[in-house]
Structures are given as structure tokens and as C-alpha cells.
Amino acid sequence: MTAEMDASKLMKQQVGKAAADRVQSSSIVGLGTGSTTAYAIQFLGDRLKSGELKDIIGVPTSFQAEVLAREYGIPLTTLDVIDRIDIAIDGADEVDPQLNLIKGGGAAHTREKVVDTLAAEFIVVVDSSKLVDKLGSTFKVPVEVIPMAYAPVMRAIEKLGGKPELRMGVKKAGPVVTDQGNMVIDVKFDSIDNPAELEKTLNNIPGVLENGLFVNTTNLVLVGEIKDGQPSVREIVKG
């Protein structure tokens, strides 16, 4: 198992580095959330420290990303101060052949969607296990909901044919609470035939803040793979 884990870690490092290498000096960079993106943040910090990269500013999508960025010496800003984001790097839980995504395994999808859709270029970093033929195959759709509305929202989702469950904490009692102080409902759909339509429908339910379907937000996915025991990075470009 350790050899496999090492290979998986190497693969995440490679793909994180490949994304960090695409960032240019004087860029405003959206910093995503999750284990693969964490390596991208680390490599951005390394490039800054070595002087290879200058004057970048990060916009974190979560408290986790903020802590990591500070640890690696990346200066941070907020959306009320800047008027653009040049490039965003973020992971995904599923990627379909049209490069539509499901995100939100780390419950940060609302802030991620704000930052990633504002970016002129949004690069998705994943390992090959995240590639699916159809969204919803392996991962539920996370829906962020204000606490008072979680029960009616779950009933509304059931009417749409989804099977909702409130996401519970792993090492704490009670539900997961997002950085915005809300709850997350994970929804299993038997088949997501039209992700764009479902994204809108879910967001129109009163009490829903945002959901984890990201449709038409990226043109580039970097996929980490293991070939003959060696990590490699493959590009999938839309169109």
C-alpha cells in the first residue's frame, strides 16, 4: 500500500506543480481547496521564494487555502479590493467529458465557484480517478443551504428525484458547517442528464446558497496519472 500511496502523492505533486508552473508574475491567483491544490499552493510559494515568480497575489477559496497560502508566503487579497482574477487553480471531485465538474467534497464550493468563475483562466487539477463518463456517477452533488431551510430544501430535492442527506462531521458531533456558517446537503441523483439545467434548478430552491455543479467554467483539466510506475500529467483541453 505504501508504494501506491507514494505514487498517488507524487502524482498529486506533479499535477500541482504543472498548474503552478503556468502562473506568471504580477498575476492575481485564485487558490483552490483540497489536497492536490495544496501542492500547487506550495509550489507557488517555492517559486516566489526563489525569485522565479514576482508580485503574485492570492485569493483564497477557503480558510484551508488561506492558512496554506500564509504558510508558504503568498500575499493575499479579497474580492472587494481587486477587479480581476487572472488565473485560478482548483481541484474537482468529478470531471465529465465536456469538462463539467462536481466540486464541494471539502464543503468550499460556494466560495470556489465565485473565485473560479471570475478567473480569466481556470485550471482544474485532478488525478485520473476523478474522470467520469457522466456527472453523479461516483460523487453526490453538494448543496450549501442556510440552516433554517435545510428540511424544506431536502423535501424540494426529493421532489426533483434526488436522495438528499445532511453532511455530518467526521470527528465532531453534528453537521458539517461551511466557512459561511451554513450546512451541506449531499444529493445522490440516479442520472444527471442535463447538468446546466440541474445547477439552475437547485439554486432556485429558496434557502439554497450554491451547489457543487460547475458547468462551462473551465477549458483546461490537468490529470495526474501513473504510467509504468511513474507519475505523469496529461492535459485535457475543451474544444
Side-chain angles (χ1 to χ4, degrees), residues 93 102-112 139-151 153-154 157 163-169 172 174-188 202 207-213:
D93 298 298
I102 290 182
K103 291 172 53 49
H109 55 281
T110 298
R111 283 170 69 171
E112 288 171 344
F139 208 82
K140 295 170 181 166
V141 178
V143 178
E144 181 163 352
V145 61
I146 62 173
M148 68 167 280
Y150 85 89
V153 167
M154 284 171 92
I157 286 169
K163 299 182 189 66
E165 57 183 46
L166 194 59
R167 188 182 300 183
M168 303 306 275
K172 71 179 262 296
V176 165
V177 178
T178 69
D179 285 354
Q180 287 75 244
N182 296 313
M183 295 175 173
V184 176
I185 296 168
D186 289 311
V187 188
K188 176 69 183 152
L202 288 170
V208 169
L209 188 59
E210 189 53 86
N211 68 78
L213 288 164

Side-chain angles (χ1 to χ4, degrees), residues 2-62:
T2 48
E4 244 175 61
M5 274 176 68
D6 286 350
S8 159
K9 185 178 163 184
L10 269 173
M11 182 169 71
K12 286 182 173 184
Q13 284 176 333
Q14 293 279 90
V15 79
K17 184 175 188 313
D21 284 344
R22 288 171 175 266
V23 174
Q24 296 174 352
S25 290
S26 307
S27 296
I28 298 174
V29 189
L31 303 172
T33 304
S35 56
T36 310
T37 318
Y39 286 119
I41 293 173
Q42 182 185 338
F43 286 118
L44 281 174
D46 291 348
R47 289 186 66 201
L48 268 178
K49 207 177 289 161
S50 71
E52 181 196 327
L53 199 57
K54 289 183 173 66
D55 302 325
I56 67 161
I57 306 172
V59 181
T61 56
S62 63

Side-chain angles (χ1 to χ4, degrees), residues 191-203:
S191 182
I192 300 176
D193 298 319
N194 188 334
E197 200 56 42
L198 183 58
E199 182 180 18
K200 288 193 190 105
T201 304
L202 288 170
N203 278 357

Side-chain angles (χ1 to χ4, degrees), residues 28-30 59-61 78-88 110-122 214 216-218:
I28 298 174
V29 189
V59 181
T61 56
T78 53
L79 293 175
D80 45 2
V81 180
I82 54 171
D83 58 1
R84 67 175 210 278
I85 296 174
D86 299 300
I87 186 168
T110 298
R111 283 170 69 171
E112 288 171 344
K113 197 176 279 191
V114 171
V115 170
D116 297 344
T117 48
L118 282 173
E121 185 184 7
F122 169 32
F214 283 53
N216 295 325
T217 54
T218 184

